Amino acid sequence: MPEKLTPWARGRPTLEDTNVFIRSFTRLNVYLYSKPPSRTAKRINRAFMTLNIQLYRRSGGRILGRFGRLDAMLITTTGRRTGKERTNPVGYVYDRGRYIVCAAPGHFDVPGGPTATQPAWYLNLTADPRATADIGPERLPVTARILEGDERERMWRRFTDVLPFMNEFQKRVQHRLPVVELTPDDLTPRPL
């Protein structure tokens, strides 16, 4: 049975089985994600995102190809309103030929303030599940599927084993964070 979601968890994140670096990184991120970004922070974030994408592509994923212990890819979706291609770096877990990603918002729910929204790349995938994934030097057409039930819970645990910070995100938002499976188009899809 899934754990009950709480709208806000106060206090320091608890990370029992991690090293000092991961605990410090998580606490810093909890602080940074505890309020919506300002306009300046959004501009800076966009500039770093653009740099991240360029460095990843030019190096074939050797630069910025990992988020700590989590492998990273670039996912290119079709904008649900604009129809333009949109690229974002995301961390993934590999599972039997498929790539599992988690849609974390840009900030936590803020008590008495704005609630966290789904990331644009996830909303784009709900409108059109076809995308392209840059994984290292490879570029693959993929199809997205939102995981539900036991399958979602199993993949969520695998994801949070690698990136414990996602547990803090889940505690501090009201909605259940989506877990998405990206299947390369040349791989036989799983039955629904």
Side-chain angles (χ1 to χ4, degrees):
M1 179 160 166
E3 77 179 71
K4 184 177 182 307
L5 300 179
T6 58
W8 185 257
R10 295 206 179 270
R12 294 170 65 129
T14 56
L15 302 166
E16 300 84 29
D17 298 329
T18 58
N19 64 38
V20 172
F21 175 75
I22 296 293
R23 283 193 302 269
S24 299
F25 173 78
T26 301
R27 288 185 180 125
L28 173 65
N29 276 287
V30 167
Y31 170 76
L32 293 174
Y33 284 99
S34 293
K35 55 185 180 270
S38 65
R39 280 192 180 136
T40 302
K42 286 181 182 179
R43 281 191 208 118
I44 291 169
N45 188 32
R46 264 195 298 273
F48 277 115
M49 180 112 43
T50 300
L51 179 62
N52 183 330
I53 292 165
Q54 289 174 356
L55 288 173
Y56 187 101
R57 283 196 171 139
R58 287 186 181 165
S59 71
R62 288 186 306 278
I63 298 174
L64 299 172
R66 292 188 61 80
F67 294 138
R69 295 181 352 203
L70 196 62
D71 291 321
M73 71 166 68
L74 300 177
I75 185 165
T76 303
T77 60
T78 302
R80 65 196 180 287
R81 288 183 267 183
T82 64
K84 294 180 181 178
E85 285 191 348
R86 303 291 186 204
T87 302
N88 291 87
V90 295
Y92 72 89
V93 172
Y94 184 77
D95 181 62
R96 296 175 295 173
R98 292 160 177 85
Y99 304 91
I100 309 301
V101 297
C102 187
H107 65 83
F108 302 139
D109 290 343
V110 177
T115 58
T117 58
Q118 302 289 10
W121 64 263
Y122 170 76
L123 297 173
N124 292 343
L125 285 175
T126 60
D128 180 359
R130 294 169 298 160
T132 304
D134 288 75
I135 302 168
E138 287 188 75
R139 178 170 274 181
L140 309 167
V142 295
T143 302
R145 181 172 71 95
I146 289 92
L147 300 181
E148 301 289 339
D150 290 341
E151 188 177 27
R152 185 241 181 241
E153 295 307 314
R154 184 173 58 83
M155 286 301 143
W156 171 258
R157 282 190 301 276
R158 284 214 34 219
F159 204 89
T160 57
D161 284 348
V162 178
L163 189 65
F165 177 57
M166 294 306 288
N167 284 317
E168 284 303 310
F169 244 112
Q170 187 60 81
K171 287 181 196 173
R172 296 168 190 251
V173 297
Q174 291 182 2
H175 63 275
R176 182 161 302 283
L177 296 179
V179 177
V180 181
E181 176 186 81
L182 300 171
T183 302
D185 289 352
D186 62 352
L187 192 66
T188 306
R190 292 182 184 170
L192 296 176

